[in-house]
Amino acid sequence: MNIKEALRIYFIMGSNNCGSHEPLDVLQQAIDGGITMFQFREKGDDALTGEAKKQFARDCFRLCKQANVPFIVNDDVDLAIEIGADGVHVGQDDLDAGVVRQKLGSDKIIGVSSHTLQESKAAIEAGADYIGMGPVYATTTKLDTNPVAGTKAIQETRQHFAQFPIVAIGGLQADNFAPAIEAGADGISIISAIASAPNPKEATEKLASTMKEVINDAK
């Protein structure tokens, strides 16, 4: 798998991010619209727990598998192992990437959230396969985020790690993500721009077409 390409349009979603939409329908529309990776993030107010969370994860994984879209679980290593997910994403306050690697094995994807060059370096040394950097802009989806970082940390990390996969995070929309790609990110992670859109498929198609334009302009 080419992780840089898989990070292009990286959709993150839980059942509580979809408003009045049916979550599995949102995911299917996002897949049809062209997402390249999916992260299952069932956290926060009104999130599913226990067996309901596991069943929802399995249903999401089934849709992703049918479309050959890599399926990543946020933070919950045990769930990822139980359902056979393609990988795990952890934050700075979650398990160390090295510990996650020991639990998952060498053939799974590990992503780590990073806000500084120092955190990126530590994640890479611990065995991460990609880093998620930001928040580029303010976001209301995650209430526990760090202060807005803009694109400076992405640029610094790219200068030090020329080929390492980086995905930008935080408040990204079709009309504002170009600076993150220009700074060195390989892709963008999206929650509300897809999950809260009136038509998730059209929103995803717009993100994907804009990404092609931005990448072509950056060459």
Side-chain angles (χ1 to χ4, degrees):
M1 179 194 304
N2 185 320
I3 292 180
K4 283 174 171 276
E5 290 183 5
L7 293 175
R8 287 276 166 83
I9 308 293
Y10 187 177
F11 182 36
I12 302 172
M13 188 196 82
S15 63
N16 53 351
N17 297 133
C18 301
S20 60
H21 294 301
E22 204 284 311
L24 289 176
D25 182 55
V26 171
L27 176 55
Q28 185 61 62
Q29 286 196 53
I31 290 169
D32 293 343
I35 62 168
T36 52
M37 187 179 276
F38 175 70
Q39 183 184 129
F40 178 83
R41 185 180 185 274
E42 192 65 17
K43 286 184 173 181
D45 294 341
D46 301 320
L48 299 173
T49 58
E51 192 55 43
K53 175 183 175 182
K54 288 181 183 179
Q55 188 56 53
F56 181 47
R58 292 188 193 101
D59 290 341
C60 290
F61 189 22
R62 173 176 49 80
L63 294 181
C64 288
K65 210 166 187 178
Q66 288 170 353
N68 204 28
V69 171
F71 180 90
I72 308 297
V73 172
N74 181 284
D75 186 22
D76 194 336
V77 179
D78 292 337
L79 175 63
I81 292 170
E82 183 175 337
I83 68 174
D86 297 305
V88 168
H89 185 95
V90 290
Q92 289 295 313
D93 298 326
D94 300 324
L95 277 179
D96 178 79
V99 175
V100 178
R101 177 62 71 200
Q102 289 178 344
K103 287 173 173 282
L104 287 184
S106 60
D107 61 334
K108 300 295 186 179
I109 302 166
I110 295 176
V112 177
S113 296
S114 165
H115 314 97
T116 65
L117 173 60
Q118 289 73 25
E119 289 179 354
S120 297
K121 187 172 185 290
I124 293 167
E125 290 174 349
D129 294 298
Y130 74 85
I131 45 179
M133 299 207 71
V136 178
Y137 303 108
T139 175
T140 58
T141 309
K142 297 181 183 180
L143 302 179
D144 56 348
T145 54
N146 284 50
V148 171
T151 59
K152 184 180 178 186
I154 295 173
Q155 195 167 23
E156 290 175 346
T157 299
R158 176 56 70 220
Q159 288 170 350
H160 282 79
F161 301 99
Q163 297 303 318
F164 196 81
I166 299 172
V167 64
I169 59 177
L172 297 163
Q173 307 276 343
D175 61 358
N176 72 5
F177 73 74
I181 302 300
E182 291 160 0
D186 297 295
I188 53 172
S189 56
I190 296 291
I191 299 180
S192 59
I194 294 175
S196 298
N199 187 317
K201 182 174 183 284
E202 287 184 2
T204 307
E205 289 172 339
K206 175 66 173 174
L207 287 161
S209 64
T210 304
M211 179 63 75
K212 287 181 182 177
E213 294 170 7
V214 170
I215 289 173
N216 286 335
D217 289 346
K219 286 181 180 178

